[in-house]
Amino acid sequence: MWITFWPDILVAAVGAALAVFAAYATYLLNARRIETQALNNLIEELHLRRALDPSVEPYVVPNAAERQDFDQVSRSVVSIRRELRTAREAVRSSRDIRLTLVEMSKGCNLYLERAERTPDSYLFSLVKLQRQLEGGVRTITILRPGVDHLAPGTGALDLD
């Protein structure tokens, strides 16, 4: 009995270490899958936003604050900011991706401030926001393999 005691302890310790390693590896892979899915969901949501359609040519809109489209775009930007926050909460392993999402949120804040200050020029601010979000999407797809690049707003009016 005592002859196999230490080898039995060694086998049990190695088995326990392997089990812990396997559990931790599974946790990391699952967390990465969840992060990648959250980022893909965000990018798809941005891709489908009509407000971010890059084909819109900016122009001064007289009395924009009284128009329904101005209000809808502002609500859409607030919703985008919420989506960015959700994605930021899901991403835990990449500081660079989190910082990119923060910069994208700042772009939304800046749009809302500019649109409030000069509502008649909101389309110019919207074009800047669309470009900033496109840059953020490009950065995220470079930093995270498995995240698909879809340009913001380009899928909003696809009829295919």
Side-chain angles (χ1 to χ4, degrees):
M1 176 169 128
W2 289 102
I3 297 171
T4 62
F5 178 72
W6 291 113
D8 290 344
I9 293 293
L10 180 64
V11 168
V14 168
L18 287 174
V20 168
F21 174 75
Y24 187 64
T26 301
Y27 165 77
L28 290 178
L29 289 172
N30 191 45
R32 188 165 179 91
R33 183 190 59 77
I34 290 169
E35 289 178 6
T36 301
Q37 186 62 48
L39 292 170
N40 273 319
N41 289 344
L42 169 68
I43 290 172
E44 186 175 358
E45 182 65 30
L46 294 175
H47 176 67
L48 297 173
R49 290 295 174 123
R50 185 179 66 88
L52 298 175
D53 184 359
S55 67
V56 172
E57 292 293 327
Y59 59 93
V60 174
V61 181
N63 302 317
E66 299 168 10
R67 296 180 182 241
Q68 183 180 7
D69 195 50
F70 173 79
D71 187 47
Q72 287 176 334
V73 168
S74 294
R75 283 195 316 253
S76 185
V77 171
V78 169
S79 174
I80 290 168
R81 195 173 54 181
R82 232 178 287 124
E83 296 286 337
L84 288 163
R85 184 180 315 118
T86 301
R88 205 170 53 242
E89 289 169 355
V91 175
R92 298 171 190 256
S93 65
S94 175
R95 185 173 190 272
D96 291 338
I97 291 176
R98 288 178 59 80
L99 290 175
T100 301
L101 293 169
V102 166
E103 289 304 313
M104 293 167 78
S105 292
K106 286 180 182 178
C108 291
N109 292 340
L110 188 58
Y111 165 81
L112 292 168
E113 288 175 17
R114 285 179 181 158
E116 186 176 325
R117 257 187 283 126
T118 56
D120 293 355
S121 299
Y122 83 98
L123 288 176
F124 292 96
S125 299
L126 189 60
V127 167
K128 290 178 185 175
L129 174 62
Q130 196 278 341
R131 288 182 185 145
Q132 183 175 6
L133 293 174
E134 166 62 25
V137 166
R138 197 175 312 109
T139 300
I140 290 169
T141 57
I142 290 168
L143 292 173
R144 179 57 59 90
V147 175
D148 301 323
H149 181 272
L150 300 170
T154 58
L157 301 176
D158 281 347
L159 300 175
D160 298 334

